Amino acid sequence: MPIDPYILSLLGTVGLAALLPARGSAADVASGASTAAVALLFFLYGTRLSTREALDGLRHWRLHVTVLACTFLVFPLLGLAARGLVPVILTHPLHQGLLFLTLVPSTVQSSIAFTSMARGNVPAAICAGSFSSLVGIVATPLLAACLLGGSGGGFSAGSLLKIVLQLLVPFLAGQLLRRWIGGFVTRHKKVLGLVDRGSILLVVYTAFSAGMVQGIWHQVSPARLGGLVVVEAVILTVMLLLTWYGGKALRFGRGDRVAIQFAGSKKSLAAGLPMASVLFGAQAALAVLPLMLFHQMQLIVCAVIAKRRAREAAAVTAAEPVATTRTVVGTGTRSG
């Protein structure tokens, strides 16, 4: 069972925020740095997304529409259905975080990695993850404003303007400047990857520090956390089954079904954390908790499924030459 090292870093950051939360002027500095970090993240996202590759991928539009429907339609419907579990299993803040989780775009890196491991359609997974990330920059805040706006999310015209300035404007700036700095970003991908992760750790520290100062962790009991894990496991199971057998019903080939399953059942921690800091502000700590739990759960489960799919593909490949040989031999015997 794989444990993502980055999850350990995130947990360490949460522990640091619990022991040494930023207060007073230090909190103001951390908040300002977090705001700048989020803007930098989305600027770098803009510089990395190749417009040409995205346009080329449109030729496989049925697959991409299927993944987008799973990510931004089916997932949110499951999140809304979970509202019936409040207050018996989930508290209202935990459900807010769970609903936000269902609005986040799909992953890119892990979807590609698992699709490759399972011998699926890797180019389709690349395009599907990229499209989901691109659509999510606009769709996630808008869906959150619609679905969480009347439920204590604190959304307003000012909040939407803040989202545009902090997320969309840096992303568009990155797209516009990609022509001149895209090569530099590609050459220094590893270093800038550390900048990405460091920025997200700063966002997490700021959010959980604010939560500690406000004492919001007294709202979460071990029983509630256990209930949240069970609910998330059910949602993940439903999405994994739906993407696999739904792809079969839509008559996609095996490789495409693998890409649909891994791209359509996942949620991006890298995209969700900075969005939550902008959308929820001081309440971001509880909002990102369901996303952090779901992220690790999806990695563990999808790793097991990917290995199983790889064994299935290997077995089919090994059987094909045998079947061909038998056909040739049989044909020769009949003709003789």
Side-chain angles (χ1 to χ4, degrees), residues 8-75:
L8 298 179
S9 300
L10 288 169
L11 293 176
T13 303
V14 172
L16 178 63
L19 296 174
L20 298 171
R23 301 174 183 271
S25 58
D28 294 335
V29 172
S31 177
S34 176
T35 299
V38 170
L40 175 61
L41 272 175
F42 279 83
F43 175 78
L44 292 175
Y45 290 161
T47 62
R48 289 170 184 159
L49 180 62
S50 170
T51 306
R52 178 177 296 178
E53 290 177 0
L55 292 176
D56 289 342
L58 285 174
R59 288 177 293 185
H60 209 355
W61 64 270
R62 286 183 64 245
L63 185 146
H64 303 315
V65 169
T66 302
V67 172
L68 290 175
C70 291
T71 304
F72 297 111
L73 179 60
V74 180
F75 254 117

Side-chain angles (χ1 to χ4, degrees), residues 47-265:
T47 62
R48 289 170 184 159
L49 180 62
S50 170
T51 306
R52 178 177 296 178
E53 290 177 0
L55 292 176
D56 289 342
L58 285 174
R59 288 177 293 185
H60 209 355
W61 64 270
R62 286 183 64 245
L63 185 146
H64 303 315
V65 169
T66 302
V67 172
L68 290 175
C70 291
T71 304
F72 297 111
L73 179 60
V74 180
F75 254 117
L77 289 176
L78 293 176
L80 289 173
R83 185 173 294 170
L85 302 176
V86 179
V88 179
I89 297 177
L90 300 175
T91 62
H92 180 70
L94 284 180
H95 176 258
Q96 293 284 94
L98 180 68
L99 184 54
F100 171 72
L101 149 71
T102 64
L103 308 180
V104 171
S106 179
T107 61
V108 180
Q109 290 89 346
S110 60
S111 294
I112 296 169
F114 288 133
T115 300
S116 176
M117 185 188 302
R119 302 187 183 185
N121 189 340
V122 175
I126 294 172
C127 291
S130 299
F131 287 155
S132 180
S133 298
L134 178 60
V135 172
I137 292 174
V138 177
T140 298
L142 291 179
L143 286 171
C146 293
L147 300 180
L148 297 171
S151 307
F155 296 100
S156 63
S159 299
L160 291 177
L161 178 61
K162 183 179 179 182
I163 291 166
V164 170
L165 294 176
Q166 212 171 329
L167 303 182
L168 189 57
V169 170
F171 177 82
L172 293 177
Q175 279 281 284
L176 292 173
L177 295 175
R178 173 180 166 77
R179 177 180 177 183
W180 294 278
I181 65 175
F184 175 84
V185 171
T186 301
R187 289 192 302 272
H188 299 83
K189 183 168 58 177
K190 290 185 178 180
V191 175
L192 292 176
L194 295 177
V195 173
D196 280 1
R197 296 198 165 201
S199 299
I200 293 174
L201 290 177
L202 177 59
V203 169
V204 170
Y205 175 76
T206 303
F208 279 84
S209 289
M212 288 300 300
V213 172
Q214 295 177 8
I216 62 174
W217 291 108
H218 296 295
Q219 305 174 24
V220 185
S221 66
R224 295 292 190 183
L225 282 178
L228 175 63
V229 170
V230 171
V231 172
E232 290 191 341
V234 171
I235 291 176
L236 180 59
T237 301
V238 169
M239 292 307 302
L240 287 169
L241 292 174
L242 180 64
T243 50
W244 182 251
Y245 291 105
K248 183 178 182 180
L250 293 173
R251 298 186 178 181
F252 284 102
R254 181 197 174 276
D256 289 346
R257 289 171 64 196
V258 170
I260 291 170
Q261 183 174 50
F262 290 123
S265 65

